[in-house]
Amino acid sequence: MEQMTAPADFEMALADRARNVEQCLQALLTSKPREGEIARPEELMQAIRHGVLGGGKRLRPFLLMESAALFDSDGLAALRVAAALECVHCYSLIHDDLPAMDDDDLRRGRPTVHRAFDEATAILAGDSLLTYAFDIVADEETELPAETRARLVLLLARAAGMGGMAGGQALDLQAEREKPDEQGIIKLQAMKTGALIRFACEAGAIIGAAAEPERQRLAEFGQAIGLAFQLADDLLDATSDATALGKAAGKDAEAGKATLVALHGIDWTRQQLSGLVDQANALLEPFGERAATLRQAAQFIALRSF
Amino acid sequence: MEQMTAPADFEMALADRARNVEQCLQALLTSKPREGEIARPEELMQAIRHGVLGGGKRLRPFLLMESAALFDSDGLAALRVAAALECVHCYSLIHDDLPAMDDDDLRRGRPTVHRAFDEATAILAGDSLLTYAFDIVADEETELPAETRARLVLLLARAAGMGGMAGGQALDLQAEREKPDEQGIIKLQAMKTGALIRFACEAGAIIGAAAEPERQRLAEFGQAIGLAFQLADDLLDATSDATALGKAAGKDAEAGKATLVALHGIDWTRQQLSGLVDQANALLEPFGERAATLRQAAQFIALRSF
């Protein structure tokens, strides 16, 4: 890794995209029912908006839009599918925060949805958001050919479902009872956090009607940075507490959580991260300067921990 | 209504379809991951199978397949979309049974998913099933044109989401705090139970590539029997308790639940049901003898309460 701080133009690009996604989500999450809907209950919509709007770096939408931009498809379609992806991400946060899951009271400094409303409403808000994501992708307003819309629905469902994110969350619950081995940790993380990040990059290529080898390349790029994302997260937990609290390891270690950092240590993890950024950069090679922002994104994801 | 008991051949047709759907669901819910899935965690899959397999009349799939059969589309596509619809129905039951919602310990005489497993697993099982439904519909294995698959995804999302079933469930929660008026009850029920039944019939027509007026006719048929389904349910609650317990009204009335039966009484409801069956039959008129089974289905749905 040549450079360890995110350049200002990258931060600006990230914030720009986030603003666009926020606006798109705001428009999508009005209380006005769309064709085929009977009514949108106001309290449910408030809970949904609470869980989606007003925060977050919108990293997954950013990756999707930047991946699509590689193939000159930087328009409405990418923005809408990115918004759908963010709906899936936010549904997973709402359900993960529930008392039966992580039991969190706060998210981004605000009460979680089940605290601001109630548990039943939070469950339904998550269910509604997940459902709405497929609505948005399948809708012809997305201005993609039907073939592409159906393909993206399938790809998103596989990334989010029992064999992807939701399955990874189930493995994470199991891991609290029975510690996974190294392969188990890798699988868990690839499913729980990796699958949606991979989807972001691959979907961008599909929206851009990329040729098959390039779609594959973007999928592999997404897989590499998805793994980096999780490693950086684990490292952040291990090192930020070390600095802040003057102890050798953070709350994951305290909770006895099985992570690759816990297994291999901080130095090994930093080396892995560096290797993943190199791998990500290599995958973007054929795109030259056009992929500058995605390269910065890979670094941004990895350097969060330094 | 000429006839008030379900004929034996109808019961057999219903059971036949249910067997096919059960087999299809069984095949779809194996632990073997499909392309694009990383792994299917065994415990999650067990919870999902517990929530889906081994019970239920499979009424929604039946309606979908019979509607498709009207247009000579009685094959794999209808069966698979019917299985997807059942996944959505079963997800809603799993989430509705949760402690934060209806807090039910038993369903069809067996422990509910959160009782047989745990709450977190039940939430994830429901999430996974909902996601999988869109996977199944979007998959080209369904052997439908991409245009049709995308259209069905959109229709299903609108029927199940914030403006349909999930929204109806949210209104139902609100109704416990603030009694809805007649229009409110009608809206709530059209969303909570009506939307998926309407979807079943309309989707059948779409799978059968029905012409626009016929698709509309099937959607209206679905709407009529969806309303009848709920009225019959409310009536069943009011009258079965009346017989069994010797009191004038059942647990809905006891709970102070706002239903049309509570508002208008049993005789009015029976008249309404009779009118809805007539309306359903009239909508099926152009299909003649081919719609005999759907006509019986409308009666079956209405006569549950007699």
Side-chain angles (χ1 to χ4, degrees):
Chain A
M1 285 176 278
E2 300 138 35
Q3 188 186 359
M4 296 319 301
T5 54
D9 59 344
F10 173 76
E11 301 272 14
M12 274 177 59
L14 186 60
D16 264 2
R17 296 278 194 206
R19 250 190 312 278
N20 290 343
V21 173
E22 186 84 14
Q23 277 167 9
C24 182
L25 286 166
Q26 214 139 22
L28 286 163
L29 296 172
T30 63
S31 296
K32 217 179 131 202
R34 314 187 66 193
E35 194 197 328
E37 292 181 334
I38 297 166
R40 293 182 166 186
E42 184 46 32
E43 194 181 312
L44 177 66
M45 295 312 296
Q46 280 171 14
I48 290 171
R49 287 192 290 259
H50 181 94
V52 175
L53 301 177
K57 284 190 283 296
R58 314 295 188 191
L59 181 64
R60 289 159 194 78
F62 178 79
L63 291 169
L64 191 149
M65 288 189 280
E66 289 296 332
S67 298
L70 275 188
F71 306 94
D72 293 318
S73 188
D74 197 18
L76 181 72
L79 179 60
R80 284 180 69 105
V81 179
L85 173 57
E86 192 66 8
C87 287
V88 173
H89 176 57
C90 292
Y91 121 75
S92 78
L93 299 181
I94 295 170
H95 280 190
D96 284 3
D97 286 339
L98 285 168
M101 309 272 270
D102 294 347
D103 195 12
D104 278 316
D105 293 338
L106 290 173
R107 174 159 303 269
R108 296 182 197 133
R110 294 190 313 153
T112 47
V113 176
H114 67 275
R115 297 293 290 171
F117 296 82
D118 57 50
E119 235 180 290
T121 304
I123 294 168
L124 290 170
D127 292 346
S128 299
L129 272 170
L130 172 58
T131 309
Y132 199 36
F134 296 107
D135 178 327
I136 297 167
V137 175
D139 194 338
E140 58 190 14
E141 281 186 35
T142 298
E143 292 184 0
L144 289 167
E147 185 66 60
T148 309
R149 283 180 275 134
R151 189 175 177 189
L152 289 170
V153 166
L154 186 65
L155 199 70
L156 180 57
R158 299 253 158 111
M162 52 183 77
M165 186 181 65
Q169 183 65 17
L171 288 178
D172 207 25
L173 292 171
Q174 260 172 261
E176 285 170 24
R177 295 193 301 267
E178 193 182 344
K179 261 196 195 180
D181 60 11
E182 177 158 17
Q183 285 312 308
I185 297 170
I186 290 170
K187 186 170 79 175
L188 186 166
Q189 295 184 340
M191 291 168 74
K192 192 182 169 187
T193 54
L196 274 203
I197 292 176
R198 181 187 152 123
F199 169 83
C201 301
E202 188 173 357
I206 290 172
I207 291 165
E212 185 54 25
E214 289 173 331
R215 183 201 56 75
Q216 183 60 32
R217 207 167 255 282
L218 264 292
E220 283 168 26
F221 170 76
Q223 197 159 320
I225 61 173
L227 184 48
F229 182 89
Q230 188 60 52
L231 280 177
D233 219 48
D234 294 342
L235 196 55
L236 197 61
D237 179 84
T239 56
S240 71
D241 276 15
T243 317
L245 307 174
K247 55 179 182 173
K251 69 179 165 63
D252 285 352
E254 213 177 309
K257 196 170 176 182
T259 67
L260 295 177
V261 180
L263 271 187
H264 294 295
I266 287 170
D267 288 346
W268 177 91
T269 308
R270 285 194 174 137
Q271 275 172 12
Q272 285 292 113
L273 273 173
S274 176
L276 284 167
V277 173
D278 290 346
Q279 190 188 326
N281 284 336
L283 284 161
L284 296 177
E285 254 269 287
F287 303 105
E289 258 317 288
R290 303 166 57 85
T293 311
L294 277 182
R295 263 186 217 100
Q296 291 176 336
Q299 277 199 349
F300 171 80
I301 284 169
L303 67 74
R304 291 188 307 145
S305 53
F306 288 89
Chain B
M1 286 176 279
E2 299 136 34
Q3 189 185 1
M4 297 317 300
T5 55
D9 59 343
F10 172 76
E11 301 272 13
M12 274 179 58
L14 185 60
D16 263 2
R17 297 277 194 205
R19 249 191 311 277
N20 290 343
V21 173
E22 186 84 12
Q23 277 169 9
C24 181
L25 286 166
Q26 213 140 21
L28 286 163
L29 295 173
T30 63
S31 296
K32 217 178 129 205
R34 315 188 65 192
E35 194 197 328
E37 292 181 334
I38 297 167
R40 292 181 167 188
E42 184 47 33
E43 195 180 311
L44 178 65
M45 296 311 297
Q46 280 170 15
I48 290 170
R49 287 191 289 259
H50 181 94
V52 175
L53 301 177
K57 283 190 284 293
R58 314 296 187 190
L59 180 65
R60 290 159 194 78
F62 179 80
L63 290 170
L64 190 148
M65 289 189 281
E66 288 297 332
S67 298
L70 274 189
F71 306 94
D72 292 318
S73 187
D74 196 17
L76 181 72
L79 179 60
R80 285 181 68 104
V81 179
L85 173 57
E86 192 66 8
C87 287
V88 173
H89 176 58
C90 291
Y91 122 76
S92 79
L93 299 180
I94 295 170
H95 280 190
D96 283 2
D97 286 339
L98 285 167
M101 309 272 271
D102 294 347
D103 195 13
D104 277 317
D105 293 338
L106 290 172
R107 173 160 303 271
R108 294 181 198 133
R110 293 188 315 153
T112 47
V113 176
H114 68 274
R115 296 294 289 172
F117 296 83
D118 56 49
E119 232 179 292
T121 304
I123 294 169
L124 291 169
D127 293 345
S128 300
L129 272 170
L130 172 58
T131 309
Y132 199 37
F134 295 107
D135 179 327
I136 297 166
V137 176
D139 195 337
E140 58 189 14
E141 282 186 35
T142 298
E143 292 183 0
L144 289 167
E147 185 66 60
T148 308
R149 283 179 275 134
R151 187 174 178 190
L152 289 169
V153 166
L154 186 65
L155 199 70
L156 180 56
R158 300 250 160 113
M162 52 185 76
M165 185 182 64
Q169 183 64 17
L171 288 178
D172 207 24
L173 293 171
Q174 260 172 261
E176 285 170 24
R177 296 192 302 266
E178 193 182 343
K179 261 196 195 179
D181 59 12
E182 176 157 19
Q183 284 313 306
I185 297 170
I186 290 171
K187 185 170 78 174
L188 187 167
Q189 295 185 341
M191 292 169 74
K192 193 182 169 187
T193 53
L196 274 203
I197 292 175
R198 181 187 153 124
F199 169 84
C201 302
E202 188 173 359
I206 290 172
I207 291 165
E212 185 53 27
E214 288 173 331
R215 183 202 56 74
Q216 184 59 34
R217 207 166 255 282
L218 264 293
E220 283 168 28
F221 170 76
Q223 198 160 320
I225 60 173
L227 183 48
F229 182 89
Q230 188 61 52
L231 280 178
D233 219 46
D234 293 343
L235 196 55
L236 197 59
D237 179 85
T239 55
S240 71
D241 275 16
T243 316
L245 306 174
K247 54 182 185 174
K251 69 181 164 67
D252 285 351
E254 212 176 309
K257 197 170 174 181
T259 67
L260 294 177
V261 180
L263 271 187
H264 294 294
I266 288 170
D267 287 345
W268 177 92
T269 307
R270 286 194 172 138
Q271 273 172 13
Q272 285 293 113
L273 274 172
S274 176
L276 284 167
V277 172
D278 290 346
Q279 189 188 328
N281 284 336
L283 284 161
L284 296 177
E285 254 268 287
F287 303 105
E289 257 318 288
R290 302 167 56 86
T293 312
L294 277 181
R295 261 187 219 102
Q296 290 176 334
Q299 278 200 346
F300 171 78
I301 284 168
L303 66 76
R304 290 187 308 144
S305 54
F306 289 88

